[in-house]
Structures are given as structure tokens and as C-alpha cells.
Amino acid sequence: MDFIDQIKILAAKIPKLSESIKTEEATKNALVMPLLNILGYNVFDPTEVVPEFTTDYGTKKGEKVDYAITQDGKPIILIECKNIDADLDKEHASQLFRYFSVSEAKIGILTNGIVYRFYTDIDAPNKMDDKAFLEINLLDIKEPLINELKRFKKESFNIDDLANVACELKYTKEIKLILANEINSPSEEFVKHFAKKVTNSPFTQSVREKFTILTKNALNQFINDRINERLKLAMSEDSLSSNPTEQVQASNLNEGKESPTSDTSNNNLERILTTGEELEGYYIIKAILRESLDLKRIAIRDKKSYCGVLLDDNNRKPICRMYFNTKQKYLGLFTEDRDEEKVPIEDLNCIYNYADKLKSTVNSYDIGKLNLEGTN
């Protein structure tokens, strides 16, 4: 299974698990240890992942940090865990800060099992920075950041490479934050910079007030224009790639079902939210099919009454449908004649019981394609 898929499966479990997680220890067991496992570290090997890692600090003896990941007997990453409900903005990584300065580790992680903040010593050698160079929120996954997380995998961890990357990530993050603040509330210095570019008038109080509004509006218009340009390009590409014949045939498949949520005939657009359980089911199906199929061919489309998984993002090639929005969950499977059979499931793990059926459905589409090509 791809790294990003493993992360998304773990993330999809959080909303349900959070109801049962009441302590810091439960947070470690349910969320932190699984992530360390995804990163390739054996959490049950104390020579690799050391729980309750102890290092004497000055006159203080026996203080502990929750985990230390070691390499060749030396700590390379220190991890301090908080309860899942903890606000990391209000939590002080004091133990992590102290240990960092007296250990050989160059990476410190503060986490509540959902948000992970990564620290190093960019500002001063052997002194942990006050600000994290990387922050990952599993409930708000951004794939570029998950790609950065790959650098912490056991097989690819390289502290020398990380030092350069950490510096770039930290300063990029801070610049983006400054830009966001300037867009929302332009500072006098920022406004003055633009005012001088477009007018020779003295920067009086009235000019400052006028250009504060102009600068804010101009920035927002600029951003909106860029977004609209990207949307138009995407819509244009989608229009060129669409096949009218395929759309008619796809509508036949959905005959008797609810219509798609995007109804261009009356411009009645309704937002549909893909739930965590539907995402987890989708990644389980990808995990089942990965051995015999390129995962890029598996697509997800959400409807009002079900969430569909398709081959080649084609409505004529449904792999299955997930009916997870009711108390009793159902998995919609397809026969060779493309008739749907809804089977009840108690939980998402039951999807694995239908692995052979899912593989058979996918194979039937590819076999049919080969037979069709053979007759030409």
C-alpha cells in the first residue's frame, strides 16, 4: 500500500477513535504508535523505539520523554506526546526542549496524535527552535506535506538532508504566514511599499487609510483572478476530455438511482461531503486491488445516497458502492451482468471478506476489453 494511503487510512479512523481516547497513554497506543509503524519503525523493539526515554539533565535526574527513535544505539528523534484533546499552542514542550540540548537527537516532535510538530536547531546549534519547521494535521491532510513526512521513514532518514530541508520549510512557512496576515490586515510598511509604486503623493494619514483599503482589495482581487484562471483551465480541459456517448451510457447505469449532485440544467449545485468512513473504505478497496491493478486506475465518486468506487473513473465500470450513511452499512457489489447486489456489513473490515469478488469484477472489465480488441 502506498505511504499516502496508509496515512489516510489512519487519519480516517481518528473521528471514531477519538470518542474512546481519554488519556495520553490511549493517544500513544491508538494514534502515535501506528504512525511510527507506518514510518517503518518497530514500536515493539526497544533497540529501535525506546519508550520513556531517560537522560539526566543538570541536577534533574530521571526525567523522561515519551519516545526516542534510535539508530546505531543513539537517539535521532525525540517525541513528546500529549492527550488527543491537548491544544499544542498552549502546551510547552519543556521536557523535549531540555532533552534536545543534551542528547544527540536533531529532531524533536510534539504531538497530540492528530497534529505533529517537527523541530530542529536552525536558529542556534544544539538548542531546539521555538517554532516548528513542519506541522502535519492528520485531519487536514495536505499531500505536499505528507511527501515531506516521507523523509522521516526509517529507510530514508538522513539528518544531513533534513537539515537543509528543515531550513527551507521553516522560512517558507513563516513567509506564507506573514503574507496571510498582510492580506487580511495590511501593515503600514506593506501599504507604504505599494503606495510609493503608484503615486507621488506624500504618505499622509489620509493616503495611508485610502491605500490600506486599496491594497487589501487589490490583493484579494489578484488571488481571486488567479483562482478563476485555474478553474477555467481545469473546466476547459475537462470539457475537451469528456465523451458525450459515454455520458449517455453512464446515465443508463444510474437509471432509477438519484441523479448526480451537479445538475447543470438548473444550476442546482449541492455540496456532498465524503465521510471518513467512506475514505477508509476506499483505501481498503485500493489495498485489496493493489497487487493486480495500477492504483491510479481506481477512482472515487460520491453521490447523495452512496459513494461509488470506479475503474478508470468510468461510470460504466463500477467496482462497488458504499452505503455508509445509515445505521446499517451496505456494500454494493456487481455481477457479471452489472446487476448490483447490496450486502450488509457490520464494520469496514468486512470489506476484506469480498476481496475475491472485487478482484473478479475488475478482471471482468479488463477481460471484456481484451476480447473486444481481439475482434477488431
Side-chain angles (χ1 to χ4, degrees):
M1 188 185 304
D2 289 348
F3 180 74
I4 182 67
D5 291 339
Q6 295 181 69
I7 295 294
K8 287 182 177 179
I9 287 176
L10 175 61
K13 294 178 180 178
I14 291 176
K16 187 174 183 179
L17 289 174
S18 61
E19 299 174 4
S20 304
I21 297 175
K22 305 298 182 182
T23 64
E24 182 180 303
E25 201 61 33
T27 302
K28 295 178 190 176
N29 293 337
L31 301 176
V32 179
M33 290 175 67
L35 180 65
L36 295 180
N37 185 60
I38 291 172
L39 290 171
Y41 300 103
N42 185 352
V43 295
F44 302 109
D45 183 352
T47 65
E48 191 166 294
V49 179
V50 184
E52 300 295 305
F53 181 72
T54 304
T55 297
D56 293 335
Y57 175 77
T59 58
K60 295 188 177 182
K61 308 292 182 181
E63 283 195 295
K64 298 178 175 63
V65 69
D66 292 298
Y67 296 106
I69 296 176
T70 62
Q71 189 177 75
D72 299 326
K74 300 177 181 179
I76 56 173
I77 301 175
L78 302 178
I79 306 172
E80 185 172 346
C81 305
K82 303 296 181 182
N83 191 295
I84 190 172
D85 296 324
D87 183 349
L88 296 188
D89 289 331
K90 298 179 180 178
E91 295 285 348
H92 297 289
S94 55
Q95 288 173 285
L96 191 61
F97 188 90
R98 290 196 296 270
Y99 278 128
F100 192 93
S101 64
V102 295
S103 78
E104 297 179 64
K106 290 298 181 184
I107 299 294
I109 301 175
L110 177 66
T111 181
N112 60 6
I114 298 174
V115 177
Y116 290 79
R117 291 181 177 174
F118 296 76
Y119 300 82
T120 188
D121 57 352
I122 296 171
D123 296 333
N126 301 319
K127 181 181 178 182
M128 194 177 85
D129 298 334
D130 292 330
K131 296 180 180 179
F133 67 86
L134 175 65
E135 179 174 319
I136 291 176
N137 186 338
L138 295 185
L139 293 182
D140 184 20
I141 291 177
K142 296 178 173 60
E143 291 202 18
L145 296 184
I146 298 301
N147 288 332
E148 297 298 338
L149 183 62
K150 287 182 180 180
R151 298 178 187 275
F152 296 90
K153 294 179 68 176
K154 178 182 176 181
E155 62 194 47
S156 54
F157 185 87
N158 185 309
I159 191 59
D160 293 328
D161 290 342
L162 272 174
N164 295 326
V165 172
C167 185
E168 180 180 336
L169 287 173
K170 179 182 179 181
Y171 294 137
T172 299
K173 176 184 173 184
E174 293 187 10
I175 291 171
K176 288 169 66 178
L177 181 60
I178 292 171
L179 286 172
N181 290 334
E182 293 288 5
I183 290 170
N184 293 327
S185 181
S187 66
E188 181 175 335
E189 183 181 6
F190 194 69
V191 172
K192 190 174 183 179
H193 170 78
F194 289 103
K196 283 187 172 182
K197 296 284 186 180
V198 298
T199 181
N200 294 322
S201 301
F203 195 68
T204 61
Q205 177 68 16
S206 61
V207 171
R208 184 183 70 80
E209 292 174 355
K210 176 182 179 181
F211 271 89
T212 296
I213 297 172
L214 287 173
T215 301
K216 184 174 181 178
N217 290 341
L219 286 172
N220 281 290
Q221 286 179 27
F222 174 77
I223 292 170
N224 288 335
D225 289 345
R226 294 297 296 271
I227 292 173
N228 288 333
E229 287 174 9
R230 295 292 297 272
L231 286 174
K232 287 178 181 177
L233 178 61
M235 292 172 67
S236 174
E237 291 175 346
D238 185 59
S239 176
L240 289 173
S241 62
S242 63
N243 187 326
T245 304
E246 179 179 298
Q247 291 174 2
V248 172
Q249 292 172 327
S251 66
N252 293 335
L253 176 66
N254 289 316
E255 189 175 359
K257 304 287 188 289
E258 289 194 50
S259 60
T261 57
S262 177
D263 183 358
T264 55
S265 63
N266 59 11
N267 294 322
N268 180 23
L269 302 178
E270 183 176 346
R271 178 179 174 83
I272 292 181
L273 178 65
T274 302
T275 66
E277 284 190 327
E278 288 169 340
L279 284 173
E280 185 176 354
Y282 172 58
Y283 293 122
I284 288 174
I285 292 164
K286 290 180 72 174
I288 290 172
L289 299 174
R290 66 165 315 204
E291 293 181 359
S292 56
L293 188 66
D294 182 352
L295 294 182
K296 293 179 180 178
R297 298 183 63 193
I298 305 175
I300 184 171
R301 285 198 199 175
D302 212 346
K303 305 283 186 179
K304 281 185 180 180
S305 57
Y306 65 85
C307 185
V309 181
L310 309 173
L311 182 65
D312 300 327
D313 202 14
N314 188 334
N315 272 330
R316 292 178 297 169
K317 299 180 180 181
I319 297 174
C320 66
R321 289 173 178 168
M322 297 176 286
Y323 299 84
F324 292 172
N325 294 327
T326 56
K327 186 174 181 181
Q328 173 61 63
K329 296 180 176 61
Y330 292 91
L331 184 67
L333 302 171
F334 290 89
T335 67
E336 292 183 0
D337 297 326
R338 306 296 177 259
D339 294 325
E340 183 182 7
E341 175 189 6
K342 291 170 65 174
V343 296
I345 58 175
E346 292 187 8
D347 56 55
L348 301 192
N349 287 326
C350 293
I351 296 175
Y352 287 105
N353 297 336
Y354 301 96
D356 290 342
K357 177 62 178 176
L358 293 170
K359 292 177 182 178
S360 175
T361 298
V362 169
N363 289 338
S364 70
Y365 296 131
D366 280 348
I367 291 174
K369 179 180 177 181
L370 289 174
N371 289 340
L372 182 61
E373 290 175 346
T375 60
N376 294 335

